[in-house]
mmCIF file with all atom_site columns, all heavy atoms in Angstrom:
data_model
loop_
_atom_site.group_PDB
_atom_site.id
_atom_site.type_symbol
_atom_site.label_atom_id
_atom_site.label_alt_id
_atom_site.label_comp_id
_atom_site.label_asym_id
_atom_site.label_entity_id
_atom_site.label_seq_id
_atom_site.pdbx_PDB_ins_code
_atom_site.Cartn_x
_atom_site.Cartn_y
_atom_site.Cartn_z
_atom_site.occupancy
_atom_site.B_iso_or_equiv
_atom_site.pdbx_formal_charge
_atom_site.auth_seq_id
_atom_site.auth_comp_id
_atom_site.auth_asym_id
_atom_site.auth_atom_id
_atom_site.pdbx_PDB_model_num
ATOM 1  N N   . ASN H 1 231 ? 85.793 164.459 167.303 1.00 97.00 ? 231 ASN H N   1
ATOM 2  C CA  . ASN H 1 231 ? 86.770 165.050 168.213 1.00 97.00 ? 231 ASN H CA  1
ATOM 3  C C   . ASN H 1 231 ? 87.006 166.492 167.788 1.00 97.00 ? 231 ASN H C   1
ATOM 4  O O   . ASN H 1 231 ? 87.171 166.793 166.608 1.00 97.00 ? 231 ASN H O   1
ATOM 5  C CB  . ASN H 1 231 ? 88.073 164.252 168.149 1.00 97.00 ? 231 ASN H CB  1
ATOM 6  C CG  . ASN H 1 231 ? 89.070 164.659 169.213 1.00 97.00 ? 231 ASN H CG  1
ATOM 7  O OD1 . ASN H 1 231 ? 89.503 165.807 169.292 1.00 97.00 ? 231 ASN H OD1 1
ATOM 8  N ND2 . ASN H 1 231 ? 89.480 163.703 170.047 1.00 97.00 ? 231 ASN H ND2 1
ATOM 9  N N   . VAL H 1 232 ? 87.043 167.405 168.749 1.00 97.00 ? 232 VAL H N   1
ATOM 10 C CA  . VAL H 1 232 ? 87.198 168.825 168.426 1.00 97.00 ? 232 VAL H CA  1
ATOM 11 C C   . VAL H 1 232 ? 88.502 169.097 167.685 1.00 97.00 ? 232 VAL H C   1
ATOM 12 O O   . VAL H 1 232 ? 88.590 170.030 166.877 1.00 97.00 ? 232 VAL H O   1
ATOM 13 C CB  . VAL H 1 232 ? 87.087 169.692 169.700 1.00 97.00 ? 232 VAL H CB  1
ATOM 14 C CG1 . VAL H 1 232 ? 88.300 169.514 170.607 1.00 97.00 ? 232 VAL H CG1 1
ATOM 15 C CG2 . VAL H 1 232 ? 86.885 171.162 169.345 1.00 97.00 ? 232 VAL H CG2 1
ATOM 16 N N   . ARG H 1 233 ? 89.520 168.265 167.883 1.00 97.00 ? 233 ARG H N   1
ATOM 17 C CA  . ARG H 1 233 ? 90.774 168.462 167.146 1.00 97.00 ? 233 ARG H CA  1
ATOM 18 C C   . ARG H 1 233 ? 90.594 168.173 165.659 1.00 97.00 ? 233 ARG H C   1
ATOM 19 O O   . ARG H 1 233 ? 91.192 168.837 164.808 1.00 97.00 ? 233 ARG H O   1
ATOM 20 C CB  . ARG H 1 233 ? 91.887 167.596 167.741 1.00 97.00 ? 233 ARG H CB  1
ATOM 21 C CG  . ARG H 1 233 ? 92.279 168.003 169.154 1.00 97.00 ? 233 ARG H CG  1
ATOM 22 C CD  . ARG H 1 233 ? 93.588 167.387 169.597 1.00 97.00 ? 233 ARG H CD  1
ATOM 23 N NE  . ARG H 1 233 ? 93.473 165.956 169.833 1.00 97.00 ? 233 ARG H NE  1
ATOM 24 C CZ  . ARG H 1 233 ? 94.129 165.019 169.142 1.00 97.00 ? 233 ARG H CZ  1
ATOM 25 N NH1 . ARG H 1 233 ? 94.935 165.362 168.143 1.00 97.00 ? 233 ARG H NH1 1
ATOM 26 N NH2 . ARG H 1 233 ? 93.984 163.732 169.437 1.00 97.00 ? 233 ARG H NH2 1
ATOM 27 N N   . ASP H 1 234 ? 89.753 167.186 165.343 1.00 97.00 ? 234 ASP H N   1
ATOM 28 C CA  . ASP H 1 234 ? 89.452 166.915 163.943 1.00 97.00 ? 234 ASP H CA  1
ATOM 29 C C   . ASP H 1 234 ? 88.634 168.050 163.332 1.00 97.00 ? 234 ASP H C   1
ATOM 30 O O   . ASP H 1 234 ? 88.865 168.454 162.191 1.00 97.00 ? 234 ASP H O   1
ATOM 31 C CB  . ASP H 1 234 ? 88.675 165.607 163.803 1.00 97.00 ? 234 ASP H CB  1
ATOM 32 C CG  . ASP H 1 234 ? 89.569 164.378 163.916 1.00 97.00 ? 234 ASP H CG  1
ATOM 33 O OD1 . ASP H 1 234 ? 90.777 164.491 163.646 1.00 97.00 ? 234 ASP H OD1 1
ATOM 34 O OD2 . ASP H 1 234 ? 89.046 163.301 164.269 1.00 97.00 ? 234 ASP H OD2 1
ATOM 35 N N   . LEU H 1 235 ? 87.677 168.553 164.085 1.00 97.00 ? 235 LEU H N   1
ATOM 36 C CA  . LEU H 1 235 ? 86.875 169.671 163.586 1.00 97.00 ? 235 LEU H CA  1
ATOM 37 C C   . LEU H 1 235 ? 87.762 170.877 163.294 1.00 97.00 ? 235 LEU H C   1
ATOM 38 O O   . LEU H 1 235 ? 87.647 171.516 162.243 1.00 97.00 ? 235 LEU H O   1
ATOM 39 C CB  . LEU H 1 235 ? 85.789 170.028 164.603 1.00 97.00 ? 235 LEU H CB  1
ATOM 40 C CG  . LEU H 1 235 ? 84.946 171.258 164.272 1.00 97.00 ? 235 LEU H CG  1
ATOM 41 C CD1 . LEU H 1 235 ? 84.296 171.149 162.903 1.00 97.00 ? 235 LEU H CD1 1
ATOM 42 C CD2 . LEU H 1 235 ? 83.887 171.473 165.362 1.00 97.00 ? 235 LEU H CD2 1
ATOM 43 N N   . SER H 1 236 ? 88.674 171.183 164.211 1.00 97.00 ? 236 SER H N   1
ATOM 44 C CA  . SER H 1 236 ? 89.597 172.305 164.002 1.00 97.00 ? 236 SER H CA  1
ATOM 45 C C   . SER H 1 236 ? 90.470 172.083 162.774 1.00 97.00 ? 236 SER H C   1
ATOM 46 O O   . SER H 1 236 ? 90.734 173.012 162.001 1.00 97.00 ? 236 SER H O   1
ATOM 47 C CB  . SER H 1 236 ? 90.476 172.504 165.240 1.00 97.00 ? 236 SER H CB  1
ATOM 48 O OG  . SER H 1 236 ? 89.700 172.835 166.372 1.00 97.00 ? 236 SER H OG  1
ATOM 49 N N   . ALA H 1 237 ? 90.916 170.848 162.588 1.00 97.00 ? 237 ALA H N   1
ATOM 50 C CA  . ALA H 1 237 ? 91.754 170.536 161.420 1.00 97.00 ? 237 ALA H CA  1
ATOM 51 C C   . ALA H 1 237 ? 90.974 170.739 160.123 1.00 97.00 ? 237 ALA H C   1
ATOM 52 O O   . ALA H 1 237 ? 91.523 171.233 159.125 1.00 97.00 ? 237 ALA H O   1
ATOM 53 C CB  . ALA H 1 237 ? 92.258 169.103 161.512 1.00 97.00 ? 237 ALA H CB  1
ATOM 54 N N   . LEU H 1 238 ? 89.699 170.392 160.129 1.00 97.00 ? 238 LEU H N   1
ATOM 55 C CA  . LEU H 1 238 ? 88.871 170.599 158.944 1.00 97.00 ? 238 LEU H CA  1
ATOM 56 C C   . LEU H 1 238 ? 88.630 172.081 158.696 1.00 97.00 ? 238 LEU H C   1
ATOM 57 O O   . LEU H 1 238 ? 88.581 172.534 157.538 1.00 97.00 ? 238 LEU H O   1
ATOM 58 C CB  . LEU H 1 238 ? 87.534 169.872 159.103 1.00 97.00 ? 238 LEU H CB  1
ATOM 59 C CG  . LEU H 1 238 ? 87.593 168.353 158.968 1.00 97.00 ? 238 LEU H CG  1
ATOM 60 C CD1 . LEU H 1 238 ? 86.286 167.724 159.430 1.00 97.00 ? 238 LEU H CD1 1
ATOM 61 C CD2 . LEU H 1 238 ? 87.886 167.948 157.522 1.00 97.00 ? 238 LEU H CD2 1
ATOM 62 N N   . GLN H 1 239 ? 88.490 172.860 159.758 1.00 97.00 ? 239 GLN H N   1
ATOM 63 C CA  . GLN H 1 239 ? 88.319 174.297 159.594 1.00 97.00 ? 239 GLN H CA  1
ATOM 64 C C   . GLN H 1 239 ? 89.565 174.925 158.976 1.00 97.00 ? 239 GLN H C   1
ATOM 65 O O   . GLN H 1 239 ? 89.463 175.789 158.090 1.00 97.00 ? 239 GLN H O   1
ATOM 66 C CB  . GLN H 1 239 ? 87.987 174.936 160.954 1.00 97.00 ? 239 GLN H CB  1
ATOM 67 C CG  . GLN H 1 239 ? 86.587 174.577 161.447 1.00 97.00 ? 239 GLN H CG  1
ATOM 68 C CD  . GLN H 1 239 ? 86.386 174.881 162.918 1.00 97.00 ? 239 GLN H CD  1
ATOM 69 O OE1 . GLN H 1 239 ? 87.304 174.727 163.730 1.00 97.00 ? 239 GLN H OE1 1
ATOM 70 N NE2 . GLN H 1 239 ? 85.186 175.307 163.276 1.00 97.00 ? 239 GLN H NE2 1
#
Side-chain angles (χ1 to χ4, degrees):
N231 189 301
V232 70
R233 294 194 289 117
D234 282 336
L235 175 55
S236 298
L238 286 168
Q239 290 165 324

